[in-house]
Amino acid sequence: MNCGESARPGSPWFGGHPDGERAQCPCLAPPTAWDPQSCLLQFLYGQPVVWRLLCSDPGLNPAWPACPLTSGGFEQNAMTREELMGLNSAGPSGWLWSRRSCVIPAAFFTQNCVGMMFARGLKRKSAEEPEDVEGCSAGAQAMPSYSLQRQSLLDMSLVKLQLCHMLVEPNLCRSVLIANTVRQIQEEMTRDGTWRAVAPQAAGRAPLDRLVATDILCRSVREQEGECPAPDMGDGQPDLVPGLAVAPAAQAPRSPQSSLWEGDSSRESRGGFQKSLDQIFETLESKTSGSVEELFADVDSSYYDLDAVLTGMVGSTSSGPGSGLQAFASAATSPPSSSCRSDLGELDHAVEILVET
Amino acid sequence: MPSHRMPSEADIISTVEFNHTGELLATGDKGGRVVIFQREPESKNAPHSQGEYDVYSTFQSHEPEFDYLKSLEIEEKINKIKWLPQHNAAHSLLSTNDKTIKLWKITERDKRPEGYNLKDEEGKLKDLSTVTSLQVPVLKPMDLMVEVSPRRVFANGHTYHINSISVNSDCETYMSADDLRINLWHLAVTDRSFNIVDIKPANMEDLTEVITASEFHPHHCNLFVYSSSKGSLRLCDMRAAALCDKHSKLFEEPEDPSNRSFFSEIISSVSDVKFSHSGRYMLTRDYLTVKVWDLNMEARPIETYQVHDYLRSKLCSLYENDCIFDKFECAWNGSDSVIMTGAYNNFFRMFDRNTKRDVTLEASRESSKPRAVLKPRRVCVGGKRRRDDISVDSLDFTKKILHTAWHPAENIIAIAATNNLYIFQDKVNSEMH
């Protein structure tokens, strides 16, 4: 879809709006940067998929002109997984709707997908043979599925590390094992060259680590309050570290951690990635009440939002696209300041969700 | 094997340990309490009815504490209990939580003196004018009273969480291991300990391996072993150096490249290590297997037994719900011919090293009535499914048997299933099937 065109039914950007309106692509200059915390909630096979995008220009004004389609929230998207994966090739001029009524180039979604939720045992709708893996809704092709699984595993591991940061008594053995897993993934992605770019669709990656796709909870939807430093994408090729940027929202007073996320190039990002593990271990080693508070300061009610969404979604997959979305929208319309401390109860929510089988 | 159910504990049992004769069985729980069971002596009327275990004593070993410096709560959960060899009428045990080890002395009192000259039966001073003659107080039997008193508190020795303690065969020293360090204590000295292993890197950023378990050799008081999260075992000799960072022997099995995955390291982490009674072998437990190592062969274990290999394809889910970090213990029987370990769904497994047969049994109220023979269970992984088989997907991962113990001489086992303790006895020496 080109800039200025209207989306037609059947195109990835036509969302099945209850009023049957067509998506209108506002003719805006393709952004080099956008709201770092903007997210798009997609529904794939009836399950929510949260996509988070990265901002390359912190000065971007997120107040894009509202589109009639996005008033109130997300649209249920009928894209197949292949289409979702193929968005990258759609070209930078395509637009997708964000929940904050700002548009995001479709090109960036595949590169920055932070996680997908697969329903248990859900069969793929593709004609290809599914992988024979227990409870797995395997991806379209084996190769992209592997990199997506790996990405999901990485995200899950980082969330686990973060969560154990927040626990009263972090289990050092567990943290070390998770951190080593993260390092392994990082090393492999560096070797594959996927550290900087999207994984190539080519076949022939001989030693395929056997990973089992499973329910992987993606990162929570974050509310951006403007002060988060956005990693500069530079060449527009996002890498993993910005994927980590959801974690602690770096605020000015917390300089040791804020510097962590300001990686410009992927090389610096890798250093930042390494630093993130260091930060975690240092905090584990000498926990001060100050750092614990800093960690808690990150958690806002966006965790709760996700919980609201999930309870809304999972229970009513057959309901119209509007109801669940409205639930999400209403939860999202009252974003707290990210400097507010969240309740431990909400943390418990998040922990429960993340460790639930 | 017939079974005998014990009353359920209020809290989750976190450790189980027989003493050296098997007469006493100690359990620790998450609430910091220790419950000691004693085996009743065999009844003469029914010589085949071997003694059963009844509660002997209960006491609060550790209380929750707060570390003000780090703003962290210190859990009172008892991580390990180890009995000291008995030298007199009293029994002694070491119990530890994450930070502090305590030595408890358990004594019995079954007699009390009566006939004091100056005090009456209730202890009140007598009116001296009523005392006309002197008498010698005599000891009269009374109801058995078990008294437990803390004799030593070994505190402030560990920065990280204590995962194991082990009493030396010299009966004078013991060691305590946390994630990064192992300390040697003298049982009589509480204000200092010697650090004998320290694997903490100069930069915590470089930390990739932690200590997971450790144990003294049963006969050689200078040898001990510790296991790591990377699946290696290090046998150390305290005579070689004061700081045993350099191992005498390193036991490590090379990784199987065909089974490699992102979870390979996690599942290779050793959760428990136990010397055999003979002192010739070591038993280790990692997430999916138990392995027997010969002290003379460092290259690989001499035996490997699959505990629940059907979980290999589910590692990602188990990683997600944290079950992959569960630490299962393992145990030898008295003759070192059978090894035992726990699994999920309240199953536990036994492997006969001689016949190479194994059995899966379940510890639950539903599946075993008192005095009933335990029925072997089977987990089916697809293919033919027999009746009573459990499918892998219906396993309950919240019911895990992490702590098991085997009587030092007889076929009596103690199984901790969450907050229930099961004690199974083998009345007839039946074969494993």
Side-chain angles (χ1 to χ4, degrees):
Chain A
M1 184 171 103
N2 290 323
C3 221
E5 279 183 7
S6 297
R8 287 171 291 282
S11 96
W13 296 282
F14 185 74
H17 190 272
D19 296 343
E21 283 184 38
R22 290 178 176 187
Q24 183 77 34
C25 172
C27 191
L28 296 162
T32 53
W34 51 91
D35 184 340
Q37 297 296 328
S38 294
C39 290
L40 178 71
L41 189 66
Q42 297 254 348
F43 291 90
L44 190 64
Y45 304 136
Q47 298 297 320
V49 175
V50 178
W51 301 78
R52 194 199 66 257
L53 290 180
L54 307 164
C55 182
S56 57
D57 178 2
L60 179 75
N61 184 352
W64 297 95
C67 166
L69 262 190
T70 62
S71 55
F74 285 95
E75 299 297 333
Q76 183 137 17
N77 195 298
M79 268 195 280
T80 63
R81 192 203 171 89
E82 289 86 335
E83 285 176 283
L84 209 61
M85 294 300 107
L87 279 179
N88 187 33
S89 54
S93 57
W95 300 94
L96 279 167
W97 303 112
S98 87
R99 70 184 170 89
R100 296 194 59 219
S101 298
C102 77
V103 294
I104 300 134
F108 289 93
F109 271 101
T110 44
Q111 294 165 351
N112 299 309
C113 171
V114 295
M116 303 187 81
M117 279 176 49
F118 296 96
R120 282 195 192 280
L122 205 59
K123 299 285 184 232
R124 291 180 309 115
K125 292 178 184 173
S126 159
E128 295 182 40
E129 277 181 286
E131 289 177 31
D132 186 20
V133 176
E134 183 73 40
C136 159
S137 59
Q141 297 102 17
M143 294 307 167
S145 166
Y146 171 79
S147 62
L148 199 68
Q149 289 172 14
R150 184 174 61 185
Q151 180 70 49
S152 301
L153 185 65
L154 178 68
D155 293 333
M156 184 182 10
S157 304
L158 292 167
V159 173
K160 278 183 182 299
L161 278 176
Q162 254 226 303
L163 274 185
C164 69
H165 233 199
M166 297 170 186
L167 290 174
V168 180
E169 298 225 75
N171 182 332
L172 189 63
C173 181
R174 178 177 172 273
S175 307
V176 167
L177 290 173
I178 298 172
N180 289 351
T181 308
V182 168
R183 276 197 198 98
Q184 276 184 62
I185 299 175
Q186 175 202 0
E187 279 164 16
E188 187 181 282
M189 293 182 92
T190 311
R191 279 198 308 269
D192 291 344
T194 54
W195 182 251
R196 286 183 55 100
V198 177
Q201 309 271 326
R205 261 204 299 218
L208 203 76
D209 291 3
R210 280 201 293 266
L211 284 181
V212 178
T214 184
D215 293 350
I216 294 165
L217 200 71
C218 40
R219 294 284 182 89
S220 71
V221 169
R222 311 250 347 155
E223 289 286 354
Q224 193 270 348
E225 295 303 317
E227 72 270 51
C228 167
D232 186 4
M233 286 305 92
D235 54 0
Q237 291 285 349
D239 55 23
L240 278 180
V241 168
L244 307 181
V246 245
Q251 297 161 10
R254 297 167 52 220
S255 44
Q257 289 212 0
S258 63
S259 64
L260 180 60
W261 308 112
E262 283 162 20
D264 245 9
S265 65
S266 67
R267 182 174 50 79
E268 279 181 15
S269 307
R270 273 200 288 277
F273 173 78
Q274 183 58 37
K275 269 198 273 178
S276 75
L277 291 180
D278 308 344
Q279 290 286 338
I280 285 164
F281 283 122
E282 278 167 20
T283 314
L284 283 175
E285 188 187 8
S286 55
K287 207 184 259 292
T288 63
S289 56
S291 67
V292 169
E293 280 185 24
E294 288 166 1
L295 291 166
F296 276 110
D298 289 332
V299 182
D300 54 20
S301 71
S302 55
Y303 277 123
Y304 180 73
D305 292 349
L306 190 60
D307 187 26
V309 171
L310 291 174
T311 50
M313 285 309 107
V314 174
S316 59
T317 45
S318 56
S319 66
S323 60
L325 292 164
Q326 280 161 15
F328 182 86
S330 59
T333 45
S334 53
S337 150
S338 61
S339 59
C340 288
R341 282 185 65 160
S342 77
D343 283 345
L344 273 177
E346 285 155 9
L347 252 190
D348 288 348
H349 260 303
V351 174
E352 264 178 62
I353 294 168
L354 282 161
V355 302
E356 225 170 28
T357 50
Chain B
M1 275 190 270
S3 70
H4 175 78
R5 271 188 293 113
M6 304 305 299
S8 59
E9 303 290 324
D11 283 337
I12 297 169
I13 299 172
S14 50
T15 186
V16 186
E17 188 82 5
F18 280 100
N19 76 336
H20 296 276
T21 60
E23 183 210 350
L24 298 176
L25 174 68
T27 64
D29 65 22
K30 265 190 90 173
R33 284 171 311 181
V34 172
V35 180
I36 303 177
F37 298 88
Q38 185 188 43
R39 193 176 185 197
E40 294 305 314
E42 290 187 29
S43 160
K44 288 178 190 153
N45 296 333
H48 292 298
S49 151
Q50 285 162 351
E52 294 178 349
Y53 285 83
D54 291 322
V55 179
Y56 178 66
S57 171
T58 303
F59 61 95
Q60 187 75 32
S61 170
H62 286 72
E63 300 273 3
E65 285 172 49
F66 196 78
D67 181 339
Y68 293 99
L69 205 61
K70 293 186 189 174
S71 290
L72 287 179
E73 212 180 76
I74 300 172
E75 269 195 299
E76 67 274 27
K77 173 170 74 100
I78 308 294
N79 292 336
K80 280 289 180 325
I81 291 175
K82 284 283 147 67
W83 289 92
L84 266 52
Q86 195 180 7
H87 291 305
N88 49 35
H91 297 276
S92 300
L93 59 78
L94 289 169
S95 68
T96 185
N97 68 348
D98 284 337
K99 297 286 185 178
T100 305
I101 308 134
K102 293 187 183 178
L103 174 66
W104 294 89
K105 194 158 176 187
I106 302 127
T107 49
E108 284 184 9
R109 193 199 293 253
D110 61 355
K111 297 182 184 50
R112 66 154 189 257
E114 279 181 21
Y116 283 105
N117 290 295
L118 299 174
K119 290 187 290 186
D120 66 15
E121 291 304 311
E122 284 140 36
K124 287 194 306 201
L125 284 174
K126 281 186 190 172
D127 180 1
L128 285 181
S129 58
T130 64
V131 177
T132 53
S133 62
L134 286 178
Q135 58 182 350
V136 177
V138 291
L139 289 174
K140 294 250 172 85
M142 59 178 257
D143 289 340
L144 179 68
M145 204 162 68
V146 179
E147 295 171 337
V148 182
S149 58
R151 299 305 267 242
R152 305 266 190 276
V153 177
F154 304 90
N156 304 317
H158 289 277
T159 310
Y160 302 97
H161 293 174
I162 297 173
N163 53 55
S164 38
I165 49 176
S166 177
V167 183
N168 205 343
S169 52
D170 66 7
C171 303
E172 287 187 353
T173 56
Y174 75 95
M175 69 166 165
S176 56
D178 66 28
D179 295 314
L180 298 178
R181 297 190 177 102
I182 302 181
N183 292 337
L184 183 71
W185 304 80
H186 193 285
L187 284 165
V189 179
T190 59
D191 59 354
R192 95 188 79 112
S193 67
F194 292 100
N195 177 241
I196 52 177
V197 174
D198 188 340
I199 64 167
K200 183 179 173 190
N203 249 337
M204 276 297 268
E205 312 157 4
D206 301 331
L207 178 66
T208 57
E209 194 173 7
V210 299
I211 298 170
T212 51
S214 66
E215 199 182 42
F216 267 119
H217 192 279
H219 309 311
H220 303 296
C221 57
N222 55 303
L223 287 181
F224 66 93
V225 68
Y226 70 91
S227 60
S228 82
S229 56
K230 287 202 170 170
S232 65
L233 301 166
R234 285 174 171 80
L235 189 72
C236 300
D237 189 336
M238 293 198 292
R239 295 172 304 191
L243 190 62
C244 301
D245 279 355
K246 267 189 75 164
H247 50 265
S248 295
K249 288 195 182 183
L250 172 65
F251 299 80
E252 208 167 23
E253 185 173 23
E255 200 177 8
D256 177 10
S258 64
N259 261 340
R260 175 116 180 71
S261 75
F262 285 125
F263 306 108
S264 296
E265 186 186 307
I266 299 178
I267 63 170
S268 74
S269 173
V270 174
S271 52
D272 193 18
V273 62
K274 293 261 168 48
F275 278 104
S276 65
H277 292 90
S278 63
R280 165 105 189 261
Y281 303 105
M282 293 184 295
L283 180 66
T284 59
R285 174 71 154 99
D286 51 60
Y287 191 62
L288 296 178
T289 70
V290 279
K291 294 178 173 150
V292 178
W293 301 78
D294 187 323
L295 283 188
N296 300 319
M297 187 161 85
E298 300 162 69
R300 75 191 74 84
I302 57 169
E303 293 156 30
T304 301
Y305 301 94
Q306 302 294 332
V307 180
H308 38 205
D309 200 53
Y310 44 77
L311 297 183
R312 199 176 285 274
S313 58
K314 304 205 172 290
L315 292 178
C316 201
S317 304
L318 295 164
Y319 178 74
E320 189 191 356
N321 63 17
D322 268 8
C323 281
I324 208 174
F325 301 107
D326 286 336
K327 291 190 186 311
F328 292 94
E329 291 173 8
C330 53
W332 295 91
N333 74 338
S335 58
D336 297 336
S337 59
V338 183
I339 54 187
M340 167 174 73
T341 188
Y344 292 107
N345 210 74
N346 277 354
F347 287 167
F348 58 99
R349 303 261 286 139
M350 291 189 188
F351 303 91
D352 189 318
R353 296 179 60 215
N354 300 324
T355 65
K356 299 297 178 202
R357 282 163 153 171
D358 62 85
V359 70
T360 305
L361 300 168
E362 183 177 358
S364 73
R365 269 187 248 256
E366 290 76 31
S367 66
S368 52
K369 301 192 176 74
R371 317 240 174 274
V373 176
L374 279 180
K375 192 177 59 173
R377 305 309 307 268
R378 218 173 79 108
V379 178
C380 74
V381 281
K384 281 199 196 144
R385 196 190 155 180
R386 294 186 220 158
R387 210 166 63 110
D388 292 342
D389 276 5
I390 311 270
S391 85
V392 183
D393 294 316
S394 15
L395 290 175
D396 188 345
F397 289 94
T398 62
K399 293 187 183 161
K400 43 194 107 179
I401 293 184
L402 304 173
H403 312 289
T404 59
W406 205 310
H407 189 286
E410 299 183 37
N411 276 350
I412 303 174
I413 55 176
I415 309 281
T418 320
N419 56 352
N420 290 320
L421 178 72
Y422 293 86
I423 300 180
F424 298 111
Q425 300 187 11
D426 186 13
K427 287 268 161 84
V428 180
N429 229 347
S430 55
E431 278 185 50
M432 306 282 300
H433 57 300

